[in-house]
């Protein structure tokens, strides 16, 4: 097996970088340091060297491999290989994500995603991709990007090693948004090493966003000229939006804040649901007398907005706004949301907008998959969105893309001005007129102490479902409480992963078990 790594292949159209570690803002060509793998004996992990030094090390491969363990494609791993037999990979699954703690320092949370575990998961993904693509002798390549978290460099290296172990070429795109990585599998441009066969976590991405707004305004080059729009990236990966999307459209972006990537997030958590974050973008709008404020999460797959008066467009209100825009384009379509949306939103979508509100189980992947399923059965659906800010559109390949959601809002602003129907964020505010807001909206996330005596040795999931059943029973016997009726079969509280991710997960587990045996043999 062998693979190559194309390191730090940052693409101008994808990422807006103003980081002190980069002397130049963009790097349009691959770094000349391309890794080539040593042909080591079967069963070993591989080390990468400069291609022009390969011959020097080729003759000493055997002696080197006897002395130490090497990892794939980049620098040597500083981590000690743990016993993978003791790793419960299923506990790292969170909905459609793989989540864990990669660096120490989170109170009460031990490191659950160390480098060797990350390498193993990436290697399993590589094996699954080879199996899925049935590529034969064709070399596959995977694009890898990351957000601004401090764990990103370590995880990037570990993922690259794992993919290389499976014999895949790796294209490291550096700081990127999740939607941009998705687009790296679609864009056909060999100069950017695209399309990739798969992606973990950059293409001509922002130019597509710019063109979408121009098209909505009748092909005006600067349809947002005169608009004052501030962006709060929260020191995540969304800082590119101000200079690479808004400014080419003519918008004024002065007052935009926290555009510099910083994984310590010194200003506020980049989360459109967080009160402090929303207060920060609201203050920026009011202080700068801006027409609109836009805020992103860390990797730009969630977003929210604030109008000129400081009114927030997030949660139910963001869903209402996007539903109004989508139903203008597709009258009568079904809007799929998660289960915690309000009855007022249902009334707004169905009675005022003439659409259909389809509530489904929580988890943005569940909501998106349900919208895809509805379309496959003949029920038209063009928007799937969760209250957290994850939203996906049929026209955008069902990708939960926070930047694209904001582009839909910008499209409305631009098209309304071009048609002489109004200017400024009042156009957006008017669209949600009549939405009945809940008096109180509160979300509680309770952690289960696995060491608590109440568990009595039971699995925490079993205990959690028992607690949920008690809550359900209490609702049934309390006349002041009402249980939400969902348009779905099965439990309100249980979210099952199916479809694509289930296929990947089951196959991944098979290869992880295989990898365990190989590691034991090596050690």
């Amino acid at each position: 097996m062998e693979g190559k790594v194309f390191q730090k292949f940052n693409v101008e159209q994808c990422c807006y970088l103003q980081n002190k570690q980069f002397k130049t803002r963009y790097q349009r060509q691959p770094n000349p340091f391309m890794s080539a793998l040593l042909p080591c004996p079967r069963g070993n992990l591989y080390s990468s060297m400069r291609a022009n030094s390969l011959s020097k090390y080729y003759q000493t491969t055997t002696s080197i491999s006897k002395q130490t363990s090497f990892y794939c494609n980049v620098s040597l791993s500083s981590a000690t290989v743990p016993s993978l037999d003791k790793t419960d990979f299923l506990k790292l699954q969170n909905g459609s994500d793989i989540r864990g703690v990669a660096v120490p320092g989170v109170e009460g949370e031990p490191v659950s995603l160390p480098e060797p575990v990350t390498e193993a998961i990436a290697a399993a993904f590589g094996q699954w991709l080879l199996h899925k693509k049935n590529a034969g002798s064709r070399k596959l390549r995977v694009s890898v990007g990351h957000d601004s978290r401090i764990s990103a460099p370590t995880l990037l290296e570990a993922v690259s090693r794992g993919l290389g172990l499976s014999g895949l070429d790796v294209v490291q795109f550096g700081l990127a948004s999740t939607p941009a990585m998705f687009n790296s599998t679609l864009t056909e441009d060999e100069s950017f090493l695209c399309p990739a066969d798969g992606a973990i976590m950059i293409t001509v991405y922002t130019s597509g966003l710019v063109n979408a707004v121009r098209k909505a305004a009748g092909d005006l080059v600067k349809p947002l000229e005169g608009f004052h729009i501030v962006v709060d990236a929260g020191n995540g990966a969304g800082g590119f939006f101000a200079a690479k999307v808004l400014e080419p459209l003519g918008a004024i972006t002065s007052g935009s804040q926290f555009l510099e990537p910083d994984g310590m997030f010194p200003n506020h958590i980049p989360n459109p649901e967080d009160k402090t974050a929303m207060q920060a973008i609201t203050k920026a709008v009011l202080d700068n007398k801006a027409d609109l404020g836009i805020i992103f999460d860390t990797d730009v797959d969630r977003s929210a907005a604030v109008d000129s008066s400081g009114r927030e467009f997030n949660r139910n209100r963001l869903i209402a706004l996007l539903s109004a825009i989508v139903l203008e384009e597709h009258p009568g379509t079904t809007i799929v949301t998660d289960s915690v949306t309000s009855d007022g939103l249902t009334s707004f979508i169905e009675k005022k907008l003439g659409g259909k509100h389809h509530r489904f189980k929580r988890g943005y992947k569940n909501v998106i998959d349900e919208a895809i399923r509805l379309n496959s059965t003949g029920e038209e659906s063009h928007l799937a969105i969760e209250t957290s800010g994850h939203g996906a559109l049929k026209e955008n390949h069902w990708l939960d893309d926070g930047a694209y959601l904001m582009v839909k809002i910008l499209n409305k602003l631009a098209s309304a001005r071009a048609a002489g129907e109004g200017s400024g964020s009042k156009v957006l505010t008017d669209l949600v007129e009549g939405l009945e807001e809940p008096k109180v909206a509160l979300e509680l996330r309770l952690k289960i102490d696995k060491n608590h005596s109440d568990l009595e040795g039971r699995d925490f999931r079993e205990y959690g479902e028992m607690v949920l059943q008690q809550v359900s029973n209490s609702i049934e016997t309390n006349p002041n409480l009402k249980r939400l009726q969902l348009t779905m079969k099965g439990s309100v509280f249980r979210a099952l992963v199916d479809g694509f991710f289930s296929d990947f997960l089951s196959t991944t587990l098979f290869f992880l078990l295989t990898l365990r045996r190989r590691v034991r043999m090596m050690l």
Side-chain angles (χ1 to χ4, degrees), residues 25 34 60 193 229 275 300 367 384 406 430 435 464 487 509:
R25 184 172 293 178
M34 294 184 181
T60 59
L193 300 182
I229 303 175
K275 289 183 178 179
V300 202
V367 172
M406 292 301 103
D430 288 347
L435 172 66
T487 48
L509 289 174

Side-chain angles (χ1 to χ4, degrees), residues 2 34 38 88 113 157 177 180 209-210 263 294 443 449 483:
E2 63 176 27
M34 294 184 181
L38 293 173
D88 188 346
L113 202 61
E157 299 290 279
S177 69
L209 301 179
V210 170
I294 292 174
E443 178 175 307
D449 182 0
R483 180 173 181 171

Side-chain angles (χ1 to χ4, degrees), residues 36-58:
L37 296 179
L38 293 173
C40 297
R42 182 178 179 181
N44 286 349
L45 299 174
Y46 304 103
S47 170
S48 65
M49 307 293 178
R50 291 181 183 271
N52 59 11
S53 304
L54 181 60
S55 59
K56 173 183 177 181
Y57 292 97
Y58 179 82

Side-chain angles (χ1 to χ4, degrees), residues 228-232 246 252-256 281 284-285 288 290 292-294:
H228 190 170
I229 303 175
V230 296
V231 174
D232 185 328
L246 293 175
I252 301 165
T253 62
S254 59
S256 292
I281 182 61
V285 169
N288 290 278
L292 187 70
I294 292 174

Side-chain angles (χ1 to χ4, degrees), residues 136-154:
S137 61
R138 181 173 74 87
K139 178 61 71 66
L140 300 184
R141 62 188 173 200
V142 174
S143 58
V144 183
H146 61 78
D147 59 25
S148 61
R149 289 181 175 89
I150 59 174
S151 58
T154 299

Side-chain angles (χ1 to χ4, degrees), residues 17 32 91 107 167 193 226 251 296 312 336 338 381 416 419 428 457 487 503:
L17 300 176
K91 287 187 177 180
E107 185 177 355
L193 300 182
F296 295 111
E312 299 174 0
V336 182
D338 59 349
S381 176
L428 306 178
T487 48
D503 181 25

Side-chain angles (χ1 to χ4, degrees), residues 412-437:
K412 184 60 182 176
L413 289 178
S415 61
R417 170 192 272 182
E421 297 173 355
S423 183
S425 61
K426 188 176 184 302
V427 171
L428 306 178
T429 306
D430 288 347
L431 286 176
V432 297
E433 187 66 34
L435 172 66
E436 183 182 348
E437 305 271 9

